[in-house]
Amino acid sequence: MTDTKLPTPRGKLTPQRNLNDLTWLRVGGPADYLLQPADLEDLRDFLRDLPENVAIFPMGVGSNLIVRDGGLRAVVVRLGRGFNGIEIDAEHVIAGAAALDAHVARRAADAGLDLTFLRTIPGSIGGAVRMNAGCYGSYTADHLVSVQAVLRDGTEVTLTPEDLNLRYRQSDLAEGAVIVSATFAPPKGDPAALHARMEEQLRKRDETQPTKDRSAGSTFRNPAGFSSTGKADDVHDLKAWKVIDDAGMRGAILGGAQMSPKHSNFLINTGGATAADLENLGEEVRKKVYDTSGISLVWEIMRIGEVKGPSEVDPDA
């Protein structure tokens, strides 16, 4: 694709850009191009003039992503400062797609609006919408009013939660569409109480999750089809970490990849892991869980790109 003539943006367009330093797991090969648009108009114009045969992949902060070692035959779109604004009125929070979930939660709490569930979710708002991110029994869909997005042909549209068909860790966002902002209508709360709740959530997260390791958050979706509630009566039988534990895969190692001893649903790069190490270990876990419980774990981490050299990974798995 590097021979294809692309539009010239006002922002930055970098050919053969390695993506490993842009993902939390620090693995992956190069994208054909990395686009960092200057602003919304720049993004619209670029997509409008881009040849139809060129693939687009919108990328957030890489917190829930494995880029395979062979890289990605696409233009990767990564939104930056022009897309990370946060606006708040008495009832609504309007956040740019590049705004970090944690920043949005804090700013909302300052204004007495409750998006506290976002505080411990790694990533940015665009990814939270696309994956209907959630925890403690709350989901992005519960508070989402509308989304602004730019379609593959450069058209700007407003989408509702119904348009996106948001469900557990899934949405129906059109191929190549780039979310640019989202509007939320959160419940109200006392700012001090909201901040105190988030501090408690952070404390619990740091106690139970490998927050100092290179991970991509939860590796697999919970088989039960819903997030942990954090409540005392929460049932753990069909949580991903529990079935991984029952299969004896906590702490399992392959190359530089490991299922975290601290939280068995966290896949970590212990140093020097390849994308193939990480993905193959994940597939070993899926096989062992299926063999021991009959449950087919579904990846929560998005895996994209081409396998490099011999590998056991089935890219379509």
Side-chain angles (χ1 to χ4, degrees):
M1 191 188 75
T2 50
D3 295 333
T4 303
K5 184 172 176 53
L6 302 188
T8 301
R10 287 182 287 107
K12 190 174 182 181
L13 183 65
T14 308
Q16 289 299 300
R17 174 61 160 85
N18 273 318
L19 300 177
N20 53 1
D21 64 325
L22 299 181
T23 70
W24 284 28
L25 281 166
R26 293 295 189 265
V27 296
D32 285 346
Y33 290 92
L34 176 69
L35 171 67
Q36 297 164 282
D39 50 34
L40 179 57
E41 182 182 13
D42 193 28
L43 175 63
R44 287 197 308 250
D45 291 348
F46 184 90
L47 293 182
R48 180 196 64 213
D49 298 336
L50 188 67
E52 291 183 4
N53 64 327
V54 177
I56 286 288
F57 179 76
M59 179 178 176
V61 295
S63 59
N64 188 43
L65 185 67
I66 291 175
V67 178
R68 295 187 177 109
D69 301 306
L72 190 59
R73 308 289 73 79
V75 174
V76 171
V77 178
R78 196 166 196 260
L79 305 181
R81 289 192 174 186
F83 299 87
N84 65 353
I86 303 170
E87 300 176 19
I88 299 176
D89 61 28
E91 296 182 351
H92 296 97
V93 176
I94 303 171
L100 295 178
D101 299 336
H103 290 176
V104 174
R106 289 200 300 264
R107 287 282 304 279
D110 290 342
L113 295 174
D114 185 358
L115 289 175
T116 53
F117 78 97
L118 286 173
R119 180 63 183 89
T120 59
I121 296 176
S124 55
I125 289 298
V129 170
R130 183 176 182 181
M131 295 295 290
N132 191 24
C135 62
Y136 306 116
S138 293
Y139 297 87
T140 302
D142 297 335
H143 311 290
L144 186 66
V145 175
S146 63
V147 169
Q148 294 298 119
V150 179
L151 302 182
R152 178 62 181 75
D153 63 1
T155 305
E156 186 178 355
V157 296
T158 299
L159 303 172
T160 66
E162 291 73 27
D163 293 330
L164 294 169
N165 188 24
L166 296 172
R167 50 211 187 275
Y168 181 60
R169 301 298 186 262
Q170 297 179 77
S171 69
D172 289 345
L173 185 67
E175 187 75 22
V178 181
I179 294 170
V180 293
S181 69
T183 299
F184 301 92
K188 295 183 178 180
D190 173 67
L194 296 176
H195 280 286
R197 183 190 305 166
M198 290 190 292
E199 287 303 311
E200 177 63 13
Q201 290 170 354
L202 287 172
R203 184 188 66 78
K204 287 183 178 178
R205 181 195 68 178
D206 291 343
E207 283 180 356
T208 60
Q209 298 177 10
T211 53
K212 298 187 185 306
D213 294 324
R214 292 180 182 174
S215 82
S218 296
T219 304
F220 302 106
R221 301 175 191 170
N222 287 327
F226 54 82
S227 298
S228 298
T229 65
K231 297 178 180 178
D233 60 354
D234 198 0
V235 177
H236 298 286
D237 294 354
L238 287 179
K239 297 295 168 59
W241 70 264
K242 180 67 164 55
V243 296
I244 293 170
D245 270 8
D246 291 347
M249 295 301 283
R250 180 183 288 263
I253 294 174
L254 179 65
Q258 183 179 31
M259 300 309 296
S260 171
K262 190 170 187 178
H263 190 306
S264 53
N265 194 29
F266 277 65
L267 184 60
I268 60 175
N269 181 352
T270 62
T274 63
D277 287 343
L278 293 158
E279 193 169 6
N280 283 327
L281 178 56
E283 287 301 314
E284 283 191 12
V285 169
R286 292 183 68 237
K287 183 178 186 304
K288 194 68 178 294
V289 167
Y290 183 79
D291 289 346
T292 56
S293 68
I295 292 172
S296 293
L297 288 176
V298 176
W299 283 88
E300 183 166 327
I301 297 175
M302 183 178 292
R303 298 155 298 135
I304 60 170
E306 298 181 349
V307 172
K308 182 179 181 181
S311 173
E312 298 298 322
V313 170
D314 175 2
D316 298 320

